[in-house]
Amino acid sequence: MMAPSFKEYFHLMDDVSDGRPSGSLPRAVALLRTLAASGGEGMRLTNAAATAGVTPASAHRLLRMLIDEGMVEQDARSKYYRLSIEFFSLAARAGNPSNLRDICRPVLLRLSAALGDTVFLLVRSGFDAVCLDRCEGPVSIRSFTNDIGGKVILGVGQGSMAILAHLPESEREEVIRFNLPRLLHFGLFDEVFFRNEIERVRESGFAARGSGLLPDMAGVAVPILDRERRPLAAISIGTTVERLNAERLPTVVQVLRREAEALAPKINPFDAALRRPGQQVGSY
Amino acid sequence: MMAPSFKEYFHLMDDVSDGRPSGSLPRAVALLRTLAASGGEGMRLTNAAATAGVTPASAHRLLRMLIDEGMVEQDARSKYYRLSIEFFSLAARAGNPSNLRDICRPVLLRLSAALGDTVFLLVRSGFDAVCLDRCEGPVSIRSFTNDIGGKVILGVGQGSMAILAHLPESEREEVIRFNLPRLLHFGLFDEVFFRNEIERVRESGFAARGSGLLPDMAGVAVPILDRERRPLAAISIGTTVERLNAERLPTVVQVLRREAEALAPKINPFDAALRRPGQQVGSY
DNA sequence: GCCATCATTACATATAGCGGAAAAACGGCA
DNA sequence: TGCCGTTTTTCCGCTATATGTAATGATGGC
């Protein structure tokens, strides 16, 4: 089986496949999701309506409402709809739960300057991890969570793995059970390998190298743990395989760990979010 | 009059003051805006309801719907509502209209590496400018648009000014008329100074130094212009006053201009977005 | 352990949202 | 230029959905 392209990968993460939403709010959200999944160019009305599972008439009415609300823009002559910059700006403030990003920013800057690599801040979101912040180092990097706001399946990539591995037993199992099919779908893991990897990370306290999903790319990540040793987030650096050689690795891990430990007490422990089961995650 | 703090500044940019919205979608959006304005900690139901101008019962129902949709999270024990990480992740893709961000990213990286300063990418959004992307340089910087997703009044800061100054006459006038009261509200400008500044920027083709809003901070910005010389975006660097001295300035401007000109033809010209008048902007 | 504040549920009413169908605008293509 | 398929937009009657008031249940502070 072939490894999926980035585009395929991210497409599969979108939960557009809602079965006929009812009520105007769910429909509107379905449209927003659809537009988000459409990429930067936007979508035609008919297409968006079909994808979101809404009649064209409703889609038209709803999209107009959303334009009135400033959440959606429409290209003046092509009629293409897209999410608005204002929507982007509005939601950008959601990427700072309990001021996590603000608190971690200086650390990311320091790490990126000290190590010369790209640094990421990741948090869990359901069965995925989301990149909250990123500081570019001089070395150019490709990564699953390259972009701020980018989503990866929990367990894919070092930062994501660091979070998963440090979840408490029951949650960890729940996530593994949910994610295994998603991962196998890509032919990237078999279960034993995956579970071994998780154990290794949990015991060593950091995730390194990772799965070699991206050739020549390597990374290290450590979790930020609260007093009950629950993972609040992960700090991760992305670099090239050659830069992360055997003699440099321990140093990097130590630097990361020190920063993560210093960070932990500063973070106001926010509770696990309340969520309806089975929502907001892709179904395969 | 005192210069406003960052917090005050950004608070004033939030358009939460909708007069009793009717229909479930406008109410929901009002709640989302309210939560966005509340910062990272989130809000209680009652408070959010009052701020959004909705009865507590409605707020409760709507917020539950939004949680079902994955757009809102609720802290398990404190009951505080906040925008969800998934919402953040969803909207992050709105920050790439016509793939503008993807196209500019390599340039930002190159500039940040070459100049050693922090580089910003800004686009217009109504009467404001929004930061789409940012690459940190080694020198630490404070800026109005520090954060990705951050909003500034069109005309404040170099990047924002570069866009405003290069708008076609009629639009420029419209923006100036709308923004003058907002600017005067902060006691930062008088009209003649503001207009002179705009003229200077328009004629020279770049904005430098700027208004000295932030002590010791300086910046340069150039617009990215399409074939009709309409500003599509602005590239801006932020640095310290001393780093941006008289002898370095011309070099920096030239580097920026060259990149901006090389970028222009790559960008698929997207039309002015269709918007209802008088929406989505703060009223003072 | 009490009281005040806040969160949640119940319910009857009206209204806002719904889809089908028709009309109008658009965009090719010859 | 004129025709036709597609897409967008409007209209309208029906229904379901969203609404506020009011009552109940939970929470937290003193």
Side-chain angles (χ1 to χ4, degrees), chain A residues 22-268:
Chain A
S22 114
S24 87
L25 205 156
R27 283 162 210 264
V29 172
L31 282 167
L32 291 177
R33 296 198 124 96
T34 301
L35 291 183
S38 81
E41 298 89 9
M43 277 178 113
R44 325 207 105 219
L45 173 67
T46 317
N47 191 3
T51 310
V54 173
T55 66
S58 290
H60 183 251
R61 195 167 17 82
L62 288 167
L63 285 169
R64 271 208 339 179
M65 282 175 155
L66 287 169
I67 288 174
D68 284 345
E69 297 298 332
M71 311 303 270
V72 169
E73 300 176 339
Q74 183 175 210
D75 188 281
R77 67 162 147 274
S78 73
K79 298 287 175 73
Y80 274 45
Y81 293 92
R82 61 175 125 94
L83 298 180
S84 73
I85 298 293
E86 204 207 343
F87 183 64
F88 172 72
S89 175
L90 179 77
R93 300 180 223 172
N96 195 18
S98 300
N99 297 312
L100 182 63
R101 186 168 44 157
D102 289 345
I103 294 169
C104 295
R105 162 74 47 84
V107 172
L108 296 204
L109 283 168
R110 205 181 316 142
L111 283 171
S112 146
L115 299 173
D117 295 308
T118 300
V119 188
F120 302 94
L121 175 66
L122 298 171
V123 292
R124 181 185 174 192
S125 169
F127 297 102
D128 299 296
V130 170
C131 174
L132 280 197
D133 205 354
R134 176 208 55 200
C135 284
E136 309 270 2
V139 184
S140 183
I141 288 300
R142 287 290 99 194
S143 145
F144 271 123
T145 52
N146 202 11
D147 254 343
I148 292 180
K151 238 189 208 175
V152 277
I153 295 178
L154 216 46
V156 175
Q158 290 79 45
S160 185
M161 173 61 87
I163 295 175
L164 171 59
H166 288 83
L167 286 175
E169 172 84 27
S170 63
E171 280 184 66
R172 199 168 63 227
E173 270 308 315
E174 188 194 354
V175 173
I176 293 173
R177 265 199 302 280
F178 185 91
N179 276 350
L180 261 177
R182 307 210 280 171
L183 294 167
L184 297 173
H185 184 267
F186 295 109
L188 299 173
F189 297 105
D190 63 288
E191 178 162 357
V192 287
F193 174 79
F194 189 49
R195 287 187 178 274
N196 280 344
E197 191 76 6
I198 292 173
E199 273 314 297
R200 268 197 20 219
V201 171
R202 198 167 62 83
E203 277 159 23
S204 67
F206 69 93
R209 284 294 165 100
S211 37
L213 279 180
L214 303 166
D216 293 327
M217 290 297 133
V220 198
V222 298
I224 304 178
L225 303 171
D226 67 9
R227 10 197 160 309
E228 289 112 23
R229 296 192 60 76
R230 289 179 46 90
L232 299 168
I235 296 176
S236 154
I237 75 160
T239 182
T240 58
V241 177
E242 60 181 17
R243 277 179 64 82
L244 198 69
N245 52 46
E247 73 177 317
R248 191 169 172 244
L249 180 58
T251 318
V252 175
V253 170
Q254 205 176 347
V255 173
L256 285 180
R257 190 175 277 157
R258 194 195 315 277
E259 292 284 9
E261 277 163 10
L263 224 31
K266 294 190 196 167
I267 297 170
N268 184 22

Side-chain angles (χ1 to χ4, degrees), chain B residues 48-80:
Chain B
T51 311
V54 172
T55 66
S58 289
H60 183 251
R61 196 167 18 81
L62 288 167
L63 286 170
R64 270 209 336 180
M65 282 175 156
L66 287 169
I67 288 175
D68 283 346
E69 298 297 331
M71 311 302 270
V72 168
E73 300 176 339
Q74 184 173 209
D75 188 281
R77 66 163 147 274
S78 73
K79 298 287 173 76
Y80 275 44

Side-chain angles (χ1 to χ4, degrees), chain B residues 2-3 14 20 74 79 85 95 107 132 148 184 189 217 264 273:
Chain B
M2 238 183 70
D14 301 323
R20 295 310 110 94
Q74 184 173 209
K79 298 287 173 76
I85 298 293
V107 172
L132 281 197
I148 292 180
L184 297 172
F189 297 107
M217 290 297 132

Side-chain angles (χ1 to χ4, degrees), chain B residues 202-237:
Chain B
R202 199 167 60 84
E203 277 159 23
S204 67
F206 68 93
R209 284 292 165 99
S211 37
L213 279 179
L214 302 165
D216 293 327
M217 290 297 132
V220 197
V222 298
I224 303 178
L225 303 172
D226 66 10
R227 9 197 162 308
E228 289 112 24
R229 295 193 60 75
R230 289 179 47 89
L232 298 167
I235 297 177
S236 153
I237 75 160

